[in-house]
Amino acid sequence: MRSGAMWRSSLCLRDGWRRLLNRPSGGPTASVGKGANVPFPFRAYAPPAERKRFYQNVTITQGEGGFEINLDHRKLKTPQAKLFTVPSEALAIAVATEWDSQQDTIKFYTMHLTTLCNTSLDNPTQRNKDQLIRAAVKFLDTDTICYRVEEPETLVELQKNEWDPILEWAEKRYGVEIGSSTSIMGPSIPARTREVLVSHLASYNMWALQGVLGPDLACVPEGIEFVVTQLKSVMLTLGLMDLRLTVEQAVLLSRLEEEYQIQKWGHVEWAHDYELRELRARTAAGTLFVHLCSESTTVKHKLLQE
């Protein structure tokens, strides 16, 4: 049985989530053609917005600026009313699939790729490529797998067995020193390590970088930043980008201490299960976004079929 404290915690979580769901929806909108506005959550944790599906068909067309998404005869637009145009056909197909898979109700909070594309197109924080890279590398100072506990011994051993192989892989893969620490100040990351990782991230295009960094309460981070924010780890993100890790592995490694505590004390089914599913979904979307943004060739004969 749950303890009284854990049961009260469960009720608080449930009540808090109900208040969040019942809060009036607002914020920016994504225009879909002339005269039509579709509510779209711009903040990462905005209340889930829904709307009755108003279109029948989703198609893709190639324009001067890239690939466009059409909802019937209306072109999809961003929250800032820019034409929704993506750089690769593969990404356009993935986004179109998000829209086409909506049933009677459009659930915008399930459309992570569309959200990431909107952020990349509108660039609400107005950051350039160098700023995006520096923001990602700064996460090294608080990288989850570089911080270690001193006790209990079982958790110390678990962190060593699960996290050390990733650090060793990264050090060998990039020819750098990273290390770990039990100090609250974290490990001392050599300047050369930062320089090497900055150089590596610079090899990604702007869209991919905007997808690796992710959403917070102020705005929706983008690309690589998006994934780094979800996992709270540059190392795990690099493992995902290099296909060293699967999404499931990266998510579990990022939650290692939490999963340890759950195994020991039990979990609040509704809260923990929802959080895990959402983290997997966001991480998978961010990873797919980065890879699709790096896709340089078109995909022939893959437009959505009725």
Side-chain angles (χ1 to χ4, degrees):
M1 292 181 62
R2 295 188 180 92
S3 67
M6 183 172 291
W7 179 243
R8 287 193 294 274
S9 174
S10 173
L11 290 177
C12 288
L13 284 169
R14 290 174 184 268
D15 291 342
W17 183 245
R18 289 195 186 98
R19 287 194 295 272
L20 182 63
L21 289 175
N22 293 330
R23 203 167 62 194
S25 178
T29 62
S31 299
V32 184
K34 188 175 181 179
N37 289 312
V38 182
F40 196 92
F42 189 67
R43 295 172 182 267
Y45 295 103
E50 297 185 3
R51 173 180 173 163
K52 183 177 180 180
R53 177 165 173 160
F54 57 89
Y55 55 90
Q56 293 295 320
N57 302 307
V58 183
T59 57
I60 300 167
T61 54
Q62 186 171 9
E64 294 183 1
F67 296 88
E68 303 165 3
I69 310 297
N70 308 296
L71 305 181
D72 291 333
H73 300 295
R74 290 169 288 191
K75 293 186 179 298
L76 184 63
K77 293 187 178 180
T78 71
Q80 293 184 16
K82 295 179 181 178
L83 181 63
F84 191 102
T85 306
V86 298
S88 79
E89 187 176 9
L91 179 57
I93 291 173
V95 171
T97 300
E98 281 190 332
W99 286 88
D100 194 52
S101 64
Q102 302 301 306
Q103 302 301 313
D104 295 335
T105 301
I106 306 171
K107 299 180 179 180
F108 297 101
Y109 52 90
T110 67
M111 303 166 72
H112 300 301
L113 291 175
T114 300
T115 302
L116 286 167
C117 289
N118 278 331
T119 306
S120 294
L121 288 164
D122 286 342
N123 191 13
T125 58
Q126 296 299 304
R127 291 180 296 177
N128 58 33
K129 186 172 183 177
D130 181 66
Q131 290 172 320
L132 286 169
I133 292 172
R134 298 292 172 182
V137 173
K138 187 173 178 59
F139 271 87
L140 277 174
D141 296 326
T142 56
D143 198 294
T144 294
I145 71 172
C146 292
Y147 277 82
R148 305 300 174 86
V149 299
E150 294 182 300
E151 58 180 358
E153 186 59 35
T154 50
L155 181 55
V156 172
E157 191 68 17
L158 182 63
Q159 291 180 338
K160 177 180 175 61
N161 292 339
E162 299 296 332
W163 286 348
D164 279 3
I166 305 303
L167 289 181
E168 291 168 3
W169 165 82
E171 290 179 333
K172 182 177 180 180
R173 164 70 173 82
Y174 300 104
V176 298
E177 294 180 13
I178 301 171
S180 60
S181 173
T182 58
S183 168
I184 192 172
M185 301 302 292
S188 178
I189 307 296
R192 182 180 174 281
T193 296
R194 298 178 189 277
E195 293 170 1
V196 169
L197 293 182
V198 164
S199 177
H200 173 70
L201 291 174
S203 67
Y204 287 92
N205 61 41
M206 186 70 171
W207 273 68
L209 285 172
Q210 289 178 314
V212 180
L213 299 161
D216 55 28
L217 292 177
C219 67
V220 179
E222 315 145 63
I224 291 175
E225 181 181 16
F226 182 82
V227 181
V228 171
T229 306
Q230 302 308 311
L231 300 176
K232 299 179 177 61
S233 172
V234 177
M235 296 297 100
L236 293 178
T237 299
L238 291 175
L240 267 178
M241 298 304 114
D242 277 7
L243 305 182
R244 168 63 174 76
L245 297 170
T246 65
V247 169
E248 290 78 9
Q249 289 171 333
V251 167
L252 287 177
L253 288 171
S254 74
R255 288 166 48 92
L256 192 65
E257 186 170 353
E258 184 174 357
E259 291 297 325
Y260 172 85
Q261 297 297 343
I262 289 174
Q263 290 295 321
K264 184 175 182 179
W265 303 106
H267 74 302
V268 181
E269 294 181 11
W270 178 87
H272 288 137
D273 292 346
Y274 175 82
E275 180 183 344
L276 181 58
R277 285 196 298 269
E278 278 298 291
L279 181 56
R280 284 175 178 165
R282 291 193 297 266
T283 302
T287 303
L288 179 61
F289 181 83
V290 173
H291 286 296
L292 294 181
C293 287
S294 303
E295 178 63 54
S296 59
T297 59
T298 57
V299 181
K300 297 181 180 180
H301 310 300
K302 291 293 185 180
L303 300 184
L304 294 178
Q305 303 295 319
E306 292 186 10

